[in-house]
Amino acid sequence: MTSIGGAASSGMVDWNLAVATATRLMRPGPEVSRDEARAVVAELRRHAKASEEHVRGFTRLGTEETHDTPLLVVDRPGWVRANVAGFRELLKPLLDKMQERRGTGPGTMVLGAVGGKVTGVELGMLLSFLASRVLGQYETFAPATRDLPAGANGAGRLLLVAPNIVHVERELDVEPHDFRLWVTLHEETHRTQFTAVPWLRDHLEGEIQSFLRETDVDPMTVLERIREAAQSLAGGRPEGEEGDEGRSLVEIVQTPAQREVLGRLTAVMSLLEGHADFVMDGVGPEVVPSVAEIREKFQQRRAKGASRLDMALRKLLGLDAKLRQYRDGERFVRAVVEEVGMDGFNRVWTSPNTLPTKAEIAKPADWVTRVHRKPEA
């Protein structure tokens, strides 16, 4: 197995073990012949190329020259390797900070027992769950490895997970060629967002690093927060604590400063996901004949999940919040475009100051007023 970034077994997370665990536990993909698999890969590549032009024409963002990021059609293990490389890069400052505290903090004995290998196994279990569900992904923070090329100067890469796309198109019983193009339209929109708006990646990384810097790196404090989170999820909140109902474990364990950053991140992610859905629906009727059927069936699948366990894990991991981001963000984009047109909406990409706040995502008219209308003197 290829090592992820050198001495992966040292430190707070055994990254190679995370990859090995995920690969061992993940579900097998759908049965396809070798010829079928090659045909699917070739078609996804064609659709991704065609989607570039469709998305640019509809959104009026970017040029052909801005697309300098690679497209990778991957299997489930390939998706895991790509994401582990990204996690390792993004989390390095936090993990280095925790490693420094490991030898002197009061939780040294705990971390001695629950060390990098255990963390690697836990991360691998999470990735094995997600690996069969992700259809595609624009990987924003994507360091190049020997097996996984990335764009120059920190640019990302576009991943399409072929077995998952085939699995879902069969599950939904939709026209395969239409579904594959529909999926690539969504993912291509994400690539266009980041390649056409040069400051967006650095802004998002800055927000994430601000979030991580506020993390309680004292191990006992982290364990205490997790204990409180577990009590809250079980309905046993400490007396006097209110308002934790409906929040995921990810949200509950955060400090007040992190919640502020999380609010800004939620607004940005809602914008990006909603914009991609809006573009998918806008382009779809012209190039995807069965788009209405696909959209209806896919929305039903998103809403209900696959099983009780799936729904519980989605709740715990905050994936339900991602579903809300699709809905709320799409409503925001649609409302703004109806009010000020596509060029007026595209002022959202001018600078971090023109991004919508979390409150404005819910009230698009407030964003229009702030960005488009000068206050009366």
Side-chain angles (χ1 to χ4, degrees):
M1 179 179 63
T2 301
S3 176
I4 303 294
S9 61
S10 62
M12 304 295 292
V13 182
D14 187 332
W15 299 102
N16 281 347
L17 184 57
V19 173
T21 301
T23 302
R24 185 175 68 252
L25 295 179
M26 69 178 57
R27 299 174 182 175
E31 292 187 8
V32 294
S33 68
R34 187 180 298 272
D35 288 343
E36 286 176 311
R38 287 173 177 164
V40 170
V41 170
E43 183 174 16
L44 287 172
R45 292 188 178 280
R46 290 195 304 271
H47 284 331
K49 184 64 178 176
S51 293
E52 292 181 24
E53 185 175 347
H54 294 315
V55 171
R56 284 199 306 269
F58 185 79
T59 64
R60 304 175 195 171
L61 288 176
T63 64
E64 189 170 351
E65 287 71 30
T66 61
H67 283 71
D68 62 348
T69 55
L71 163 71
L72 305 179
V73 182
V74 298
D75 57 10
R76 290 170 180 175
W79 178 85
V80 167
R81 288 194 298 273
N83 276 266
V84 165
F87 285 153
R88 182 182 175 92
E89 183 78 8
L90 194 61
L91 296 177
K92 186 177 187 303
L94 172 65
L95 295 179
D96 286 349
K97 191 175 178 181
M98 293 186 73
Q99 183 70 28
E100 290 175 5
R101 295 284 295 273
R102 184 175 182 174
T104 58
T108 301
M109 293 181 63
V110 175
L111 282 176
V114 188
K117 289 189 179 299
V118 173
T119 309
V121 169
E122 291 171 343
L123 176 60
M125 292 171 66
L126 170 60
L127 290 171
S128 73
F129 169 75
L130 296 174
S132 62
R133 287 158 173 80
V134 176
L135 301 182
Q137 174 186 3
Y138 181 74
E139 200 184 2
T140 314
F141 310 105
T145 68
R146 187 176 66 186
D147 301 325
L148 296 164
N153 301 318
R157 54 184 166 234
L158 181 62
L159 307 178
L160 295 173
V161 190
N164 294 351
I165 293 172
V166 172
H167 171 78
V168 174
E169 71 192 26
R170 290 178 178 178
E171 178 187 333
L172 298 182
D173 190 24
V174 293
E175 210 289 318
H177 306 296
D178 285 2
F179 184 74
R180 294 166 195 173
L181 177 55
W182 188 73
V183 170
T184 58
L185 285 170
H186 182 100
E187 303 308 332
E188 180 58 41
T189 302
H190 288 316
R191 177 157 65 166
T192 296
Q193 290 163 347
F194 283 94
T195 56
V197 185
W199 55 264
L200 184 58
R201 179 194 181 277
D202 289 342
H203 172 71
L204 193 60
E205 182 177 21
E207 291 282 57
I208 292 171
Q209 292 303 332
S210 294
F211 182 86
L212 295 177
R213 279 195 298 271
E214 292 293 332
T215 297
D216 290 319
V217 295
D218 178 84
M220 293 305 293
T221 304
V222 172
L223 290 174
E224 179 65 16
R225 288 191 175 278
I226 292 173
R227 184 187 65 80
E228 291 174 358
Q231 288 179 345
S232 179
L233 289 170
R237 292 194 318 277
E239 187 176 353
E241 278 193 22
E242 302 295 339
D244 280 346
E245 301 94 328
R247 298 222 312 271
S248 70
L249 178 61
V250 174
E251 293 173 292
I252 293 170
V253 297
Q254 307 315 328
T255 67
Q258 283 178 309
R259 287 175 187 165
E260 290 186 19
V261 179
L262 189 63
R264 296 195 297 269
L265 282 170
T266 298
V268 174
M269 298 311 296
S270 296
L271 172 68
L272 298 180
E273 296 294 358
H275 184 235
D277 266 12
F278 179 78
V279 172
M280 227 173 18
D281 287 347
V283 175
E286 296 184 9
V287 298
V288 182
S290 59
V291 65
E293 177 191 3
I294 291 172
R295 183 69 158 148
E296 180 181 0
K297 289 183 175 180
F298 194 77
Q299 288 287 71
Q300 291 173 355
R301 182 181 184 273
R302 267 184 185 171
K304 70 181 182 180
S307 66
R308 280 193 168 189
L309 175 61
D310 185 76
M311 293 175 70
L313 285 169
R314 277 174 26 186
K315 176 64 182 173
L316 184 65
L317 298 172
L319 300 183
D320 280 347
K322 187 174 178 67
L323 299 182
R324 291 194 297 274
Q325 288 171 8
Y326 285 109
R327 292 194 304 268
D328 297 346
E330 196 274 340
R331 285 194 210 103
F332 171 85
V333 176
R334 186 174 301 280
V336 172
V337 171
E338 287 176 355
E339 179 72 17
V340 296
M342 185 62 75
D343 290 335
F345 166 78
N346 281 342
R347 289 184 64 176
V348 79
W349 311 117
T350 304
S351 76
N353 292 330
T354 57
L355 290 172
T357 65
K358 189 176 180 181
E360 287 171 341
I361 288 288
K363 294 183 177 180
D366 290 354
W367 180 87
V368 172
T369 298
R370 177 171 67 87
V371 174
H372 283 270
R373 297 170 187 161
K374 294 181 180 179
E376 296 181 2

